[in-house]
Structure formats: C-alpha cells, structure tokens
Amino acid sequence: MSDITVVHLMRHGEVANPEGVLYGRLPGYHLSELGRQMAERVAEHLAPRDITHVVASPLERAQETAAPIAKTHGLDVDVDRRLIEADNVFQGKTFGVGDGALRRPENWKHLVNPFKPSWGEPYVEQVVRMMGALDAAKDAARGHEAVCVSHQLPIWIVRSFVEKRRLWHDPRKRQCTLASLTTFTYQGDKIVSVGYTEPARDLVPAHLLAGAKPVKGKNKAFGA
C-alpha cells in the first residue's frame, strides 16, 4: 500500500437562494440548476482519479454536490458533521454588500471581535473539527484518494491553518470558489502539500470567483 494519500476538500456548487439569505446551517437550501452542473463537472474532472471514499457535510447542498462524484466511482456518500458550515448569528438574515446591516445598532454587539470572530463559531474550533474530518477521510482512503464536500469558510480556515497563515482574514480574499478543490496530500499521516483547482471555473459567475470584488445586489451565495 502506498504511503501517499490525497484528500480533496471541495466546496459545494451554487445554491438556489434568490432572496440572498445568509443560510448558514439552515435546512432546505438546495443546489440550483447551475450548481448541479458544477457538481457534474467536478465529477467528470475526478473520474480518472483513484477515489475510494466520498464524504460530505450533512447539509443538502453538500450532499447533492457529492452525489455525482460518488456515483462515478460506485460509492455511497458518507456523512461527517464536522464538515458542516460555520455557525453564524446572522443565519437566516440578509447580510450582504450594500444592505445596511453594518449600520444597524442591534448588530454591533456581534461585530466587536473579528479575530475570534464574535459573530459566530470561533476559528480555532473550526480548525479542530475540520482537521479531524480530514484525518478521518485520510484514514478511510489510505493509499488512495478521498473527497470531502464542505463549505467556504471552514475550508479556507483549515487551509490557512495548514499553510501557517493567521486565521482572521478579509472574506473577499478567500481562494475558495464554488465547486473548487483544495487538495491535501499526505505522506503517511503528515500533510506534505496543498493544492487548489477550479474544475468548474467557467460555470461560476464572475462576481463569485475567488478574489472578485463584491457587487451590490448580486452576491446571492451567502453562508456558502
């Protein structure tokens, strides 16, 4: 058995969310038609790979993204709650560019500490659970490859930890586009490299690409 194991940490595809709600961990948010196309595109991209384990966050959008990948390799989609979206006190609300949320006094108490952050699940707790999920996937696919479908913030936070960056950051600069793959290569039990690819880049709206400037009225993939 090879001592090299590859774990692909994938962000789910686009979600149907016309109201622009920060959906977070709320149930009932499914992939849009475009999101399903993204999932199929990544399944095609990964078809030649030695995938032996597919696991996803329990949220519908992650499960639906994982399904075509698992089907391509004749696998079931396992569930790992540690891959779930970060908790957020603004869940269920509209909280985007130009909507005035930052000017509302009732929100100020949640914005006092961006380093923790004070509005949601601490970054350190995200690191702990995501590293646990990555290690479990590595063990399940040892000597082969695994796919874990999760959400933007937890993916970016665990990548930042592995690459020894500070955990607090500018959300606009996360390199974690819809349906992207952040790939961790293990030698034995040690991560030896991190890679990043966007197999469905041509399907992603320009304002939602990694590093794109937010556009008022267009950022509808909240809580992703």
Side-chain angles (χ1 to χ4, degrees), residues 12-23:
H12 61 78
E14 185 190 64
V15 175
N17 181 25
E19 297 81 17
V21 172
L22 196 158
Y23 38 79

Side-chain angles (χ1 to χ4, degrees), residues 39-57:
E40 292 288 349
R41 173 69 62 80
V42 179
E44 294 172 5
H45 174 78
L46 292 174
R49 307 293 298 223
D50 183 23
I51 307 293
T52 61
H53 180 65
V54 178
V55 61
S57 155

Side-chain angles (χ1 to χ4, degrees), residues 169-190:
H169 61 282
D170 182 344
R172 297 169 297 181
K173 296 181 179 180
R174 295 173 189 158
Q175 189 183 44
C176 191
T177 294
L178 290 164
S180 61
L181 297 171
T182 300
T183 301
F184 300 83
T185 299
Y186 289 79
Q187 184 168 26
D189 294 321
K190 180 181 179 181

Side-chain angles (χ1 to χ4, degrees), residues 57-133:
S57 155
L59 296 174
E60 293 98 332
R61 57 193 186 269
Q63 292 287 312
E64 292 164 2
T65 299
I69 299 170
K71 182 179 180 180
T72 297
H73 293 275
L75 301 169
D76 294 325
V77 179
D78 289 345
V79 178
D80 190 332
R81 186 168 177 80
R82 291 173 293 189
L83 294 170
I84 200 167
E85 174 64 290
D87 196 17
N88 193 307
V89 298
F90 297 112
Q91 176 177 288
K93 301 178 181 179
T94 57
F95 193 80
V97 177
D99 71 355
L102 296 178
R103 295 193 296 270
R104 299 172 194 157
E106 65 270 22
N107 290 336
W108 295 348
K109 64 183 178 182
H110 301 300
L111 303 172
V112 296
N113 185 359
F115 306 106
K116 185 179 181 180
S118 52
W119 55 82
E121 181 184 10
Y123 294 137
V124 171
E125 292 181 12
Q126 293 180 54
V127 168
V128 171
R129 65 176 172 86
M130 290 296 288
M131 286 300 297

Side-chain angles (χ1 to χ4, degrees), residues 7 9 134 155-156 158-165 175 181-186 191-197:
V7 179
L9 189 51
L134 285 175
I155 294 172
W156 181 248
V158 75
R159 178 181 173 183
S160 296
F161 172 78
V162 171
E163 294 184 328
K164 302 185 186 308
R165 287 191 300 274
Q175 189 183 44
L181 297 171
T182 300
T183 301
F184 300 83
T185 299
Y186 289 79
I191 296 173
V192 294
S193 69
V194 180
Y196 177 78
T197 54

